[in-house]
Amino acid sequence: MDFLPINLRLRDQPVVLVGAGVVAARKARFLLGAGADLTVIAPEQDTQFRALASEHSLVWHQRPYGEGDLSNAILVIAATPDRSVNESVHREATSRGIPVNVVDSPDLCSFIFPAIVDRSPLTVAISSSGASPVLARSVRSRIEAMLPAATADIARFGQLHRDRIREVGASENERRIIWEQIINGPIAQLILSNRWQAAEQALAELLDGHKGLPPGEVYLIGAGPGDPELMTFKALRLLQRADIVLHDRLVNPDIVAMARRDADKLYVGKRRSDHSVPQERINELLVELAQEGKCVARLKGGDPFVFGRGGEEIELLAQKNIPFQVVPGITAGNAAACYAGIPLTHRDHAQSVRFVTGHTKDGKLHHRWEEFLSETETLVFYMGLVGLAIICRELIAHGRSPHTPVALIERATSPQQRLLRGTLSSIEALVESAQPQAPTLIIVGKVVSLADELRWYGSG
Ligand code: SAH
């Protein structure tokens, strides 16, 4: 190890920064963030630096660096474009025994800045010992993704209650279990759901010893349209906490595989007219599993609240007072449009967009078609493949032009994605020959023609 990572307390400590350019501004931001008493020595300030100086209190000596400027400093940074100035700063700092960092000159540094993930009071510092700052930054972005912004709140919660937990008189093992609940368990989930008071209460009950097994919890997770990269960080985090995963037909198996290896996976998929597990049974199952103390992930395709019956699934949980979280997902309408190069709204073509179910009942669709006639509104039909003929016929019969562009996007965001284009009068014949399979989404409106120019994904 060439550099030992340590955490330095800089609050109100004198630090000297020589230089006031763009790079110096970046360093100054860190130093001020740590509460340093900052003195800047530079004949001129960059505009970024000036903005920083107006927000924070720092002392600026508007002149070049001179020998003796470092006499009071406990830490020094040189960030000037002039190598000879940087060398002089290095020489003085070294002779005074002050740690010094010279930007972009590893040979002149007695300390270096790590890449930082800041979830204060939790901080993560990543260093490649100067060997590859790009690698350090890439590792940082991976860690950033793993730590939700609210991790800071968990750290603060722990800080606030540390003494109380120490005084509770529990054994070391019991204390470890309490901390586990705060950091990874139900209390952490309450904090991450922005329910600080409930977290306080849960801790109080835990410390009073009133509580037995922590109750289970249900995460209703939108898994997005198929491409696993379109999951949110939150969806992934909660999926990986789950003891059991209930998933639908629309959820990509690669996403289910992202759950913990030891988690049970239960397929409760639904096909049109083949409900392998009836909806009521799914609702009950969620309650039963949570009552057994399990963390249950209910994975839904797209967004759980867009034609996903997510509302019904959590109604029973709410009635039974079982904690749950709902994670939005990218809905098929958004995803298919983006991957097909069809902006759902566009200043010149559409000012609004409407998501409509195309699911037929007894071969019929009961819509107020007269509401769907605006030329400047994009219509997005879910579950519309079977009812496509009715949709087109009704729209034309109610007055929409037969030339209105229509797109069918089959298996959007997957490598098998196909885009079929036509008009309200021609699309049916196209479907006859191309035979698209579910899931397929239908988009109706002028914006569809933009795909000519804006298509970018796949070949279809
Ligand atoms: N909750 C889901 C929608 C479920 S309804 C969501 O928000 O996306 C199921 C319908 O969604 C399908 O019939 C189809 O119209 C559409 N759909 C879902 N995934 C799709 C995909 N990858 N490509 C095209 N359409 C899709």
Side-chain angles (χ1 to χ4, degrees):
M1 194 165 30
D2 290 333
F3 291 87
L4 177 71
I6 54 170
N7 293 340
L8 210 55
R9 189 192 293 278
L10 281 187
R11 190 152 302 280
D12 299 329
Q13 295 297 313
V15 175
V16 172
L17 172 62
V18 183
V22 180
V23 185
R26 215 177 300 141
K27 302 293 181 210
R29 211 174 286 281
F30 284 127
L31 297 165
L32 292 166
D37 179 3
L38 187 63
T39 299
V40 179
I41 300 165
E44 279 160 46
Q45 279 187 332
D46 177 82
T47 44
Q48 279 196 30
F49 208 102
R50 220 167 294 138
L52 192 72
S54 67
E55 288 165 25
H56 296 85
S57 86
L58 54 83
V59 176
W60 177 29
H61 294 312
Q62 190 175 4
R63 56 169 175 76
Y65 157 80
E67 175 91 34
D69 276 345
L70 312 182
S71 54
N72 288 324
I74 66 140
L75 200 74
V76 173
I77 292 101
T80 82
D82 186 333
R83 169 100 187 167
S84 68
V85 174
N86 290 346
E87 279 174 347
S88 307
V89 175
H90 170 258
R91 213 171 308 118
E92 183 185 345
T94 311
S95 72
R96 291 180 187 273
I98 308 170
V100 59
N101 175 274
V102 179
V103 167
D104 287 337
S105 304
D107 54 318
L108 300 182
C109 289
S110 68
F111 77 92
I112 54 176
F113 281 88
I116 295 171
V117 179
D118 186 2
R119 302 283 186 271
S120 295
L122 179 80
T123 50
V124 184
I126 303 122
S127 164
S128 65
S129 306
S132 173
V134 178
L135 173 65
R137 281 201 292 275
S138 145
V139 172
R140 177 187 57 191
S141 55
R142 275 182 261 164
I143 295 178
E144 285 272 5
M146 277 165 49
L147 295 178
T151 306
D153 295 331
I154 296 180
R156 265 194 306 123
F157 189 92
Q159 194 174 39
L160 207 66
H161 295 292
R162 204 177 40 195
D163 292 343
R164 205 168 139 210
I165 294 167
R166 197 180 301 135
E167 284 156 16
V168 79
S171 70
E172 197 175 320
N173 195 38
E174 283 164 333
R175 275 211 304 274
R176 192 184 52 74
I177 292 170
I178 293 171
W179 277 112
E180 185 59 27
Q181 304 242 358
I182 295 174
I183 290 159
N184 283 318
I187 296 180
Q189 293 310 310
L190 289 172
I191 299 168
L192 293 174
S193 311
N194 197 19
R195 297 175 63 196
W196 191 275
Q197 256 186 344
E200 298 262 6
Q201 196 183 331
L203 178 64
E205 285 174 11
L206 200 66
L207 295 183
D208 281 353
H210 291 327
K211 265 248 149 78
L213 249 187
E217 192 175 13
V218 177
Y219 312 129
L220 181 61
I221 300 175
D227 180 349
E229 277 202 276
L230 294 176
M231 294 252 289
T232 61
F233 293 145
K234 189 166 208 161
L236 186 60
R237 175 170 64 76
L238 292 182
L239 176 60
Q240 292 183 338
R241 276 187 56 76
D243 303 310
I244 177 160
V245 182
L246 273 61
H247 57 100
D248 271 357
R249 181 177 60 94
L250 276 180
V251 176
N252 184 338
D254 290 345
I255 291 178
V256 180
M258 288 175 181
R260 285 201 330 253
R261 206 169 300 169
D262 62 327
D264 292 324
K265 304 183 184 88
L266 189 61
Y267 174 74
V268 291
K270 283 177 271 171
R271 242 170 278 273
R272 215 189 136 83
S273 65
D274 153 34
H275 285 213
S276 53
V277 181
Q279 186 65 52
E280 293 67 31
R281 183 64 200 126
I282 297 176
N283 304 352
E284 287 164 10
L285 208 56
L286 294 175
V287 170
E288 286 166 21
L289 290 165
Q291 280 173 342
E292 287 168 24
K294 295 208 166 89
C295 272
V296 188
R298 172 70 175 114
L299 271 182
K300 314 275 293 181
D303 180 275
F305 281 1
V306 178
F307 306 124
R309 306 188 75 167
E312 295 167 46
E313 298 192 3
I314 56 174
E315 256 166 40
L316 200 59
L317 298 170
Q319 277 167 25
K320 304 260 177 195
N321 260 331
I322 290 169
F324 60 84
Q325 300 185 45
V326 184
V327 184
I330 295 183
T331 187
N334 278 140
C338 287
Y339 273 53
I342 301 173
L344 290 176
T345 67
H346 186 291
R347 268 203 301 178
D348 301 334
H349 305 284
Q351 274 67 51
S352 59
V353 54
R354 190 188 289 255
F355 289 176
V356 188
T357 172
H359 186 78
T360 49
K361 216 169 180 185
D362 309 324
K364 290 202 186 82
L365 269 172
H366 302 281
H367 289 312
R368 293 183 216 242
W369 296 100
E370 64 279 8
E371 289 177 358
F372 296 179
L373 305 182
S374 164
E375 290 284 319
T376 57
E377 179 164 275
T378 307
L379 301 176
V380 178
F381 287 93
Y382 288 69
M383 301 171 280
L385 202 49
V386 173
L388 180 67
I390 308 177
I391 293 170
C392 295
R393 197 185 329 123
E394 293 284 358
L395 286 174
I396 294 172
H398 283 82
R400 231 124 168 202
S401 159
H403 306 298
T404 309
V406 178
L408 258 61
I409 304 129
E410 178 190 7
R411 286 183 277 185
T413 80
S414 79
Q416 295 80 32
Q417 172 175 315
R418 259 204 311 173
L419 172 65
L420 300 178
R421 300 257 317 273
T423 62
L424 281 179
S425 58
S426 73
I427 194 82
E428 254 190 274
L430 214 68
V431 165
E432 277 290 301
S433 57
Q435 295 284 322
Q437 304 297 309
T440 289
L441 192 96
I442 303 166
I443 303 182
V444 179
K446 279 196 282 184
V447 287
V448 166
S449 12
L450 296 171
D452 284 339
E453 212 185 317
L454 305 180
R455 257 172 65 187
W456 61 275
Y457 181 79
S459 57

